[in-house]
Amino acid sequence: MIRSDFHTHSDFSGDSKSPMKEMIKGAINKGLERICFTEHNDPDFVYIIPEEKGMFDLNTDKYLESAALYKHKYADKIQVLHGVELGIQEHLADNLSAYANKYPFDFIIASSHICDRMDPYDKSFFENRTSKEAFYAYFTSIDRNIRAFQDFDVYGHLDYVVRYAPDTNKSYFFKDYADIFESIFKHLISNGKGIEINTGGYRRGLGVPNPTPEIIRFYKECGGEIITVASDAHTPHDLADNFDQIEEILKNSGFCYYTVFQNRKPEFIKL
């Protein structure tokens, strides 16, 4: 069983109401050996609802202080690690690099939550274009982002955009974007970066993780070695969600291990 969850959120993230203590207790109850908090920090996020402005601005000092407290408190039961999920955009590259190097994170996820100054979570992202056109715009923006900013360890939920398409993933086919994924993977791999396999897709009704098993297999064929396993949980209930299926997907894709991080250094855990 995979016993490390490397993408989780507590109430330090604007879209979670779960206290860090409750997330840790939930991880212990589920038999996890490691939990890595990756709280949202999304500078220059585009807020649709004015009242939500600033909800993805992380109070990093307070967060790391709490993480250190619980790391010590639960040291005999579980390893508590502190990371961050950075919402990246090309124009933020310098600021994000300064931020990433300022704090002693164990792990940094880079994610794309904004594309063309829109969040795919909002239906306006898909207006006046087909899902294929919207997906293409999103994936090409990732290809640009990873060339502008490189102070991260893995790229998160690579096909996040599919979760919110009007027809979900019914018109989503790997072959339509294989050239973009190849470009993304070649750049990530050559720069010592990895990707995650994120079970949030199951909770969104996709029937598959993000990215899909086909893409995971292609990442391995491209020479990818670094892959973390992530629930993207915002509640204790969703921790390690569908990890049994993930283990099977990884093995079928040619992986004999998954990756964990501490002090920004990878360690490979046998499946």
Side-chain angles (χ1 to χ4, degrees), residues 16 25 34 62 75 96 100-101 135 160 185 193 235 237:
S16 172
K25 289 167 65 176
R34 299 175 190 83
K62 188 174 180 181
L96 290 176
N101 288 289
F135 296 162
Y160 160 91
F185 291 155
K193 314 299 181 186
T235 68
H237 176 268

Side-chain angles (χ1 to χ4, degrees), residues 207-219:
V208 290
N210 297 114
T212 66
E214 207 172 14
I215 296 172
I216 296 296
R217 192 176 307 115
F218 184 61
Y219 169 67

Side-chain angles (χ1 to χ4, degrees), residues 11-140:
D11 57 6
F12 280 100
S13 291
D15 55 357
S16 172
K17 296 181 180 179
S18 301
M20 186 175 284
K21 180 179 180 180
E22 297 305 312
M23 294 294 288
I24 295 169
K25 289 167 65 176
I28 294 169
N29 290 338
K30 291 197 173 188
L32 293 181
E33 296 175 353
R34 299 175 190 83
I35 180 172
C36 186
F37 288 99
T38 52
E39 308 295 359
H40 287 296
N41 193 20
D42 248 287
D44 199 24
F45 189 84
V46 180
Y47 295 95
I48 306 300
I49 302 172
E51 292 76 16
E52 293 182 346
K53 188 173 182 178
M55 70 181 290
F56 293 125
D57 294 339
L58 178 62
N59 185 335
T60 308
D61 292 321
K62 188 174 180 181
Y63 158 53
L64 293 180
E65 181 181 343
S66 292
L69 174 68
Y70 288 119
K71 180 183 182 74
H72 176 72
K73 182 175 181 178
Y74 290 98
D76 62 333
K77 296 181 174 65
I78 191 170
Q79 184 179 24
V80 177
L81 299 157
H82 49 273
V84 66
E85 181 182 7
L86 293 178
I88 67 174
Q89 302 177 62
E90 285 180 275
H91 69 282
L92 297 174
D94 290 342
N95 288 340
L96 290 176
S97 290
Y99 174 84
N101 288 289
K102 180 180 178 180
Y103 294 101
F105 294 114
D106 285 307
F107 178 56
I108 297 178
I109 300 172
S111 294
S112 290
H113 297 123
I114 297 295
C115 173
D116 298 335
R117 300 302 296 154
M118 291 181 285
D119 183 354
Y121 179 84
D122 186 76
K123 64 182 180 181
S124 63
F125 183 79
F126 294 92
E127 290 177 353
N128 302 315
R129 57 182 170 182
T130 65
S131 291
K132 184 176 180 180
E133 289 170 335
F135 296 162
Y136 193 87
Y138 181 83
F139 296 138
T140 54

